[in-house]
Amino acid sequence: MSGKISAMQMFDVGVIGAGSAGPKAARTAARMGASVAIFEESRIGGECLYTGCVPSKALLHSATLWNRITRASEFGLPEHQGAAPDFGAIMAHAHKTIAQVGAGDATESFRRAGIVTVCERAAFVDPHTVLAGKTGERYQAKQWILCTGSRPAIPDIPGLAEAGCDTNRTVFGWTSLPRRIVVIGGGPIGCELGQVFARFGSEVTILLSGARILERDDADAARVVTETFAQDHIDLRSNVVVERVERRGDEKILHLRGGGEIVCDAILAAAGRRSNTEGLNLEAAGVRLAEHGRLKTDATLRTNVPHIWAAGDIATDYKFTHAVSYEGAVAATNAVNALRGEPPIDADYHVVPRVTYTDPELASVGLTPAMARQTHGADTIDVSRFDFASLDRAIIDGETEGFTQIVSRSSDGMIIGAQIVGAQAGSLISEICLAMRAGLRAADIALTMHAYPTLPEAVEAAADRTSHAPLSPNIPRAMTD
């Protein structure tokens, strides 16, 4: 614990959890003039820093570089004939990246911002008071913000716990690469790590409960990633039910419904998340849980208790670091507004980018064409697409897989969604996010000069193919029809 605090000291705002949402909430409240305490029983930085975004993207970058090295002859370079990659060294690089990103004393940074850090578990004893787990000291706050995050959900499969499985919380402790890996789940985590391990030499099988990977994303975009997985020799199996798992020596055997089995050396469970509500003693605060132990909040991120708010994975559907950080700011703003007697604001999810960092990347914002047709009607939307295979910079770089797709209203050209699958898709989607946030039309992107030759020209070209986009700022569309 940083600083000497007397028992029962009162704060304006108390924040429980210092992952991604908590620090943003604490800093926002402090900047608004509130006295703030933040509680964290583990490491400040949370899952994203230590077992999520940062190490996984470091591994993905290494895997992509290795893929390009093995394809050297495609770029006119000598064919690669070097040694196989050292997985231990690769993982050491990922941990070095964690240290660099998380460099600095977080508690000292909080102190400079006027925030008191309590490095202990906090549990409610009444609606305004929490008990620190180690010291037994009590702390009160007029407003509380819960930001305790989530953890991997382990599938309820007989024998899985006994056989042993890894999650994103344990996989970054590997120092050697298993020869055969089964990934349960075809969402972003399973797809990203599955591709990493396959490119470094593992035999990877990804088991899907549904028909395809990345089921929340556009089917055509997901198909591009699927085709790349085939090139990476990843075995994708759809509509699979694992009935039980057993261990035979060092091997793990998954028995599948309908017959058949898969033998592997490691199992990675990547099949969803569960909210971290245990240990908070929410009953003492009067906070009610929704289904599956998740916190339920209203549009302002308030729980059923008026002075208790929640942000991040503990309550949200948007389990992305950028989204939960935003929620932390909204919850803190509303908590301080409540102290001032001012009305709360609603969280705005109109523009939430989401990215799966496979190679190629898949990025999306707003509605997919299928969602838009269902919501607005097939005759009221316009879907325009531009393939990377026709983009000069993509051809130059040898990265021609994928496309940019813009979904707009046919009545006025307003953008209601976009999907990009291809090189640097996660960066390219930002231009469309800005346009949607600013209320711009696809035509505004089409009329914006983009440097040549660059990947963002794919966004310009897709926008130029919408029904409301003029061919040129100086030529009326009627003259080009």
Side-chain angles (χ1 to χ4, degrees):
M1 184 172 63
S2 64
K4 182 65 176 178
I5 306 172
S6 60
M8 294 298 287
Q9 182 170 344
M10 173 70 79
F11 294 89
D12 292 326
V13 177
V15 179
I16 303 179
S20 296
K24 184 72 171 184
R27 294 182 188 280
T28 299
R31 284 198 302 268
M32 294 178 71
S35 59
V36 181
I38 187 168
F39 298 77
E40 175 55 59
E41 65 173 316
S42 185
R43 298 176 292 186
I44 295 173
E47 190 131 328
C48 179
L49 176 59
Y50 294 103
T51 60
C53 309
V54 174
S56 66
K57 291 355 168 228
L59 289 184
L60 283 159
H61 183 61
S62 295
T64 300
L65 287 175
W66 180 249
N67 174 265
R68 301 306 185 266
I69 290 171
T70 61
R71 293 170 47 199
S73 60
E74 297 179 21
F75 303 94
L77 300 171
E79 184 174 350
H80 172 71
Q81 297 178 342
D86 181 342
F87 187 75
I90 294 166
M91 192 63 79
H93 166 71
H95 285 279
K96 179 181 177 182
T97 303
I98 293 172
Q100 291 174 324
V101 172
D105 185 341
T107 58
E108 173 59 22
S109 175
F110 285 146
R111 187 195 65 77
R112 291 195 302 268
I115 301 166
V116 172
T117 307
V118 183
C119 298
E120 299 189 51
R121 173 186 286 269
F124 284 99
V125 294
D126 65 49
H128 283 281
T129 310
V130 299
L131 178 71
K134 294 179 182 178
T135 63
E137 292 192 59
R138 299 189 177 205
Y139 304 90
Q140 289 188 339
K142 299 172 186 176
Q143 302 282 319
W144 286 97
I145 306 173
L146 308 181
C147 308
T148 50
S150 67
R151 64 188 182 279
I154 305 299
D156 186 17
I157 301 173
L160 179 60
E162 293 77 10
C165 75
D166 284 280
T167 68
N168 68 287
R169 287 194 168 183
T170 60
V171 74
F172 299 107
W174 289 0
T175 56
S176 60
L177 189 64
R179 183 169 69 88
R180 298 163 298 181
I181 301 173
V182 169
V183 180
I184 301 177
I189 294 175
C191 286
E192 289 177 1
L193 292 179
Q195 187 179 44
V196 164
F197 301 140
R199 287 189 165 180
F200 287 139
S202 288
E203 298 174 16
V204 174
T205 301
I206 298 180
L207 304 183
L208 313 175
S209 60
R212 64 176 177 87
I213 62 171
L214 305 173
E215 288 190 319
R216 294 186 178 184
D217 287 293
D218 177 67
D220 289 344
R223 190 175 299 114
V224 174
V225 179
T226 299
E227 292 169 355
T228 302
F229 279 8
Q231 298 170 15
D232 291 329
H233 306 292
I234 295 173
D235 183 7
L236 284 178
R237 303 195 187 185
S238 59
N239 301 308
V240 171
V241 176
V242 180
E243 292 196 325
R244 63 186 179 91
V245 180
E246 66 172 315
R247 186 165 192 145
R248 298 176 191 164
D250 293 332
E251 294 182 330
K252 303 176 183 184
I253 297 89
L254 294 86
H255 297 272
L256 310 181
R257 179 176 295 177
E261 63 182 35
I262 302 175
V263 181
C264 64
D265 305 296
I267 299 172
L268 172 63
R273 314 279 304 175
R274 294 191 185 280
S275 299
N276 292 328
T277 56
E278 296 83 357
L280 290 172
N281 196 25
L282 295 176
E283 298 84 357
V287 177
R288 293 193 298 267
L289 297 179
E291 68 282 353
H292 308 301
R294 172 177 154 179
L295 272 184
K296 185 177 182 180
T297 60
D298 64 14
T300 68
L301 307 184
R302 193 196 305 263
T303 69
N304 64 289
V305 179
H307 69 277
I308 299 179
W309 315 77
D313 281 15
I314 192 174
T316 189
D317 285 328
Y318 301 94
K319 291 177 170 52
F320 318 119
T321 298
H322 48 277
V324 304
S325 179
Y326 163 76
E327 288 188 345
V330 171
T333 298
N334 286 338
V336 177
N337 281 348
L339 294 173
R340 297 171 175 174
E342 299 175 4
I345 61 173
D346 289 352
D348 180 5
Y349 300 109
H350 173 59
V351 182
V352 181
R354 49 196 184 274
V355 185
T356 298
Y357 293 92
T358 46
D359 177 28
E361 295 179 355
L362 196 166
S364 185
V365 64
L367 301 180
T368 66
M371 294 174 183
R373 293 184 185 104
Q374 184 176 11
T375 304
H376 297 274
D379 296 334
T380 65
I381 66 165
D382 181 22
V383 180
S384 60
R385 180 183 297 188
F386 184 79
D387 293 334
F388 274 54
S390 299
L391 182 67
D392 290 0
R393 184 53 187 261
I395 295 170
I396 292 168
D397 292 346
E399 308 289 347
T400 56
E401 302 87 357
F403 57 83
T404 295
Q405 178 173 271
I406 295 177
V407 185
S408 58
R409 292 197 304 243
S410 55
S411 60
D412 57 10
M414 296 300 294
I415 303 170
I416 58 176
Q419 296 76 44
I420 304 177
V421 58
Q424 298 296 317
S427 297
L428 297 179
I429 201 74
S430 295
E431 179 178 8
I432 301 175
C433 291
L434 176 61
M436 291 177 66
R437 181 70 179 174
L440 302 178
R441 302 171 303 144
D444 294 306
I445 295 178
L447 295 176
T448 300
M449 190 181 298
H450 291 65
Y452 175 89
T454 61
L455 294 177
E457 286 185 291
V459 178
E460 177 189 5
D464 195 47
R465 294 187 173 194
T466 60
S467 59
H468 281 265
L471 180 65
S472 164
N474 299 313
I475 303 176
R477 185 168 186 84
M479 296 177 61
T480 65
D481 290 340

